[in-house]
Amino acid sequence: MDADTPPSDIALPERLAPEAPAFEPIAPELRPSLRDLPSVDLVLRTPGGQLAVDRFGRLPATLAIRVALDEVRACVLAGHLASLPTPDHVALAAADALEHGARASLRPVFNLTGTVLHTNLGRALLAEEAVEAAVAAMRSAVALEYDLATGRRGERDDHVRELLIDLTGAQDATVVNNNAAAVLLVLNTLGAGREAVVSRGELIEIGGAFRMPDIMARAGARLVEVGTTNRTHPKDYAGALTEATGLVLKVHTSNYRIEGFTREVRAAELAEIAHARGVPLVNDLGSGTLYDLARLGLAHEPTVREAVAEGADIVTFSGDKLLGGPQTGFIVGRADLIEAINRNPMKRALRVDKVRLAALEATLRLYRDPERLAARLPTLRLLARGREAIASRAAELAGPVAEILGEDFTVDVALCASQIGSGALPLETLPSAGLAIRPAGAASGGLLNALAASLRDIPVPVIGRITEGALLLDLRCLEDEAGFLDSLSQLVLPA
């Protein structure tokens, strides 16, 4: 180890090092005596120790102080401390460790990645109406499976059933905990022990290694592939239908596109082929939307109402993506098939709880007022933001952010492109703007990575992306500028 390189095994809090660290080991005769190390009881009686007890409890405070003293003892024995810290220093170090350990693992963050529906960051933000409904359900008993009109047992799906029927045009509807569960339940109900016919070009894989063939196998259905990767014709489906066919499955390839020499069978035509043989058509929309995104200037994404109108017997889609609600999976379609799905014992294992149902009902009610929906639903509001407005916010924030980061970094307004995320319209980008942060001196990817790590360690972490030699903070999803600057002000800059 070089003389100017600090030992890598020292994790001593700064408050425990009153003097500059000595990286050359101190001679044994010059080291402080461990007999002079303050006792745990003495540290507990300091003002800092008492604050730690009041905030975290005596046992956690005592354990944290012991750990801090053990770190001091290890540093003395290694020859890295010329003097011992005071009892107050030890108490403050213990309190720091307790404070850090008390942080929730599931923490709010500022999503400045440029991906609006970021799977790793929780996807859709809920509308205030949905948040209020969820909080109310958490705080009290609710009529979850209780019919207030008759005083008898009710069905939890009834809270959203009529809303879904109204918004989709389907005969009936049910809800489970996500769209993967919806697909699994449908395949098991209609296809267990039978064949499920699907185009080879629609055998999707999404995040987390969710593969349609694997789900079919778990559901007990036998996969029958038709067509080729890029071209599937009506005759391919017609030739595959037999007495053993349980369903025809159409999968919306929401997270990728095959372009060029391609051919697919549209849902309306496929419905005719399936119905002619008495086989139900299941259309998995994946993300799914109840709102025509073309109204926001985006490319058209098939709506659930359109899928139902095209003749699908069952349509499945997600609640926490383009719909803008909590994580749920919807199954809408023919009443007799929904009845059979609800009788499946698996349905109970996949049902949603009262909190999500409350948030979901409130979200769906917003769709009854489509003229004000884009302003009230965060997902649509963020997708609708124009580049000019975002760039104006970026110009206002550039100065304060540069002041916080200091002379080691430059901060510039930059034009960029956002994406919807969660598999929706994968080729569609949204003109956006943000802040491009670069090292002031020679280019240093290491410094940018260190800054990104520091931003993840502030009270409300800031998540951006490193691209083209800059840490880019896309401001499309930033609505709380004051909170952003307040959290950023507590940044500890990388050395």
Side-chain angles (χ1 to χ4, degrees):
M1 181 180 297
D2 296 335
D4 59 350
T5 302
S8 60
D9 60 344
I10 292 182
L12 190 65
E14 289 183 3
R15 286 197 173 106
L16 294 184
E19 298 181 5
F23 301 130
E24 283 289 347
I26 299 170
E29 64 272 14
L30 299 178
R31 298 173 189 174
S33 172
L34 292 179
R35 295 177 182 176
D36 297 327
L37 201 63
S39 67
V40 172
D41 185 62
L42 178 61
V43 176
L44 278 170
R45 293 201 303 268
T46 64
Q50 287 299 304
L51 285 174
V53 171
D54 292 342
R55 175 162 170 72
F56 302 103
R58 175 167 290 276
L59 180 58
T62 300
L63 293 175
I65 290 169
R66 285 175 178 164
V67 170
L69 290 172
D70 285 343
E71 290 177 347
V72 174
R73 188 177 291 106
C75 285
V76 170
L77 293 174
H80 297 306
L81 278 182
S83 63
L84 294 176
T86 67
D88 290 307
H89 281 133
V90 176
L92 289 172
D96 280 350
L98 288 168
E99 194 71 45
H100 192 273
R103 283 182 177 180
S105 176
L106 189 61
R107 296 162 59 194
V109 303
F110 286 107
N111 174 16
L112 305 187
T113 63
T115 300
V116 177
L117 297 172
H118 199 303
T119 298
N120 303 130
L121 301 181
R123 293 181 177 160
L125 306 181
L126 298 186
E128 287 302 316
E129 292 85 349
V131 173
E132 292 172 3
V135 170
M138 286 188 281
R139 284 180 170 163
S140 65
V142 296
L144 178 63
E145 292 183 348
Y146 184 82
D147 190 326
L148 293 172
T150 64
R152 297 179 178 177
R153 182 185 178 92
E155 293 293 335
R156 67 178 62 199
D157 285 358
D158 286 349
H159 299 289
V160 295
R161 178 175 173 271
E162 290 301 326
L163 281 166
L164 287 168
I165 291 172
D166 181 48
L167 293 170
T168 67
Q171 293 179 6
D172 204 351
T174 189
V175 59
V176 289
N177 57 26
N178 62 16
N179 189 51
V183 173
L184 176 67
L185 184 60
V186 170
L187 287 172
N188 181 259
T189 304
L190 305 182
R194 310 194 71 190
E195 295 177 349
V197 178
V198 62
S199 168
R200 186 170 281 108
E202 296 176 1
L203 290 174
I204 62 167
E205 176 180 329
I206 61 175
F210 173 94
R211 291 183 171 185
M212 187 59 71
D214 295 338
I215 296 302
M216 285 188 174
R218 293 293 178 133
R222 297 191 299 273
L223 169 64
V224 176
E225 301 178 37
V226 298
T228 62
T229 302
N230 59 319
R231 291 179 69 81
T232 303
H233 302 273
K235 64 181 180 181
D236 296 322
Y237 286 102
L241 299 181
T242 69
E243 293 297 322
T245 303
L247 70 145
V248 174
L249 177 64
K250 183 164 185 61
V251 182
H252 178 50
T253 55
S254 58
N255 63 347
Y256 69 95
R257 291 286 186 269
I258 300 176
E259 297 184 342
F261 187 59
T262 64
R263 172 75 161 88
E264 72 167 308
V265 181
R266 300 296 179 185
E269 185 177 7
L270 189 52
E272 293 180 0
I273 296 171
H275 295 164
R277 301 292 295 271
V279 175
L281 171 64
V282 176
N283 192 345
D284 172 27
L285 291 181
S287 178
T289 179
L290 301 176
Y291 185 86
D292 185 1
L293 296 181
R295 299 177 66 172
L296 302 179
L298 302 174
H300 178 71
E301 179 85 347
T303 67
V304 180
R305 183 176 288 276
E306 289 170 350
V308 171
E310 287 173 339
D313 300 281
I314 290 292
V315 179
T316 63
F317 58 104
S318 298
D320 59 340
K321 297 180 182 177
L322 288 172
L323 190 140
Q327 178 183 296
T328 41
F330 300 103
I331 307 171
V332 303
R334 272 173 41 191
D336 61 322
L337 298 183
I338 297 295
E339 182 181 1
I341 289 166
N342 281 329
R343 288 199 306 267
N344 190 321
M346 290 177 63
K347 171 68 189 303
R348 183 177 181 85
L350 302 174
R351 67 185 183 177
V352 297
D353 67 301
K354 67 173 185 176
V355 178
R356 273 192 283 179
L357 265 178
L360 179 59
E361 180 185 7
T363 301
L364 293 174
R365 289 189 183 281
L366 296 179
Y367 278 85
R368 286 184 162 175
D369 184 5
E371 299 306 317
R372 293 190 294 172
L373 183 62
R376 300 168 71 186
L377 196 67
T379 295
L380 297 185
R381 184 171 67 242
L382 296 175
L383 292 176
R385 294 183 76 181
R387 169 178 277 177
E388 185 176 344
I390 301 172
S392 177
R393 295 283 182 89
E396 294 173 359
L397 289 171
V401 171
E403 185 176 348
I404 291 171
L405 295 182
E407 298 179 351
D408 290 336
F409 297 93
T410 63
V411 180
D412 301 297
V413 176
L415 301 182
C416 56
S418 307
Q419 60 181 2
I420 297 174
S422 291
L425 296 175
L427 302 182
E428 188 84 0
T429 58
L430 312 171
S432 189
L435 300 176
I437 303 171
R438 297 180 176 86
S444 173
L447 190 56
L448 283 178
N449 285 323
L451 177 60
S454 295
L455 288 171
R456 296 194 300 269
D457 197 43
I458 58 180
V460 183
V462 173
I463 315 296
R465 70 180 190 269
I466 294 177
T467 178
E468 298 180 355
L471 175 58
L472 181 63
L473 305 181
D474 186 324
L475 301 186
R476 172 172 295 278
C477 296
L478 180 63
E479 296 189 294
D480 181 11
E481 291 89 351
F484 166 68
L485 289 175
D486 180 63
S487 190
L488 201 63
S489 68
Q490 301 178 61
L491 175 69
V492 178
L493 292 169

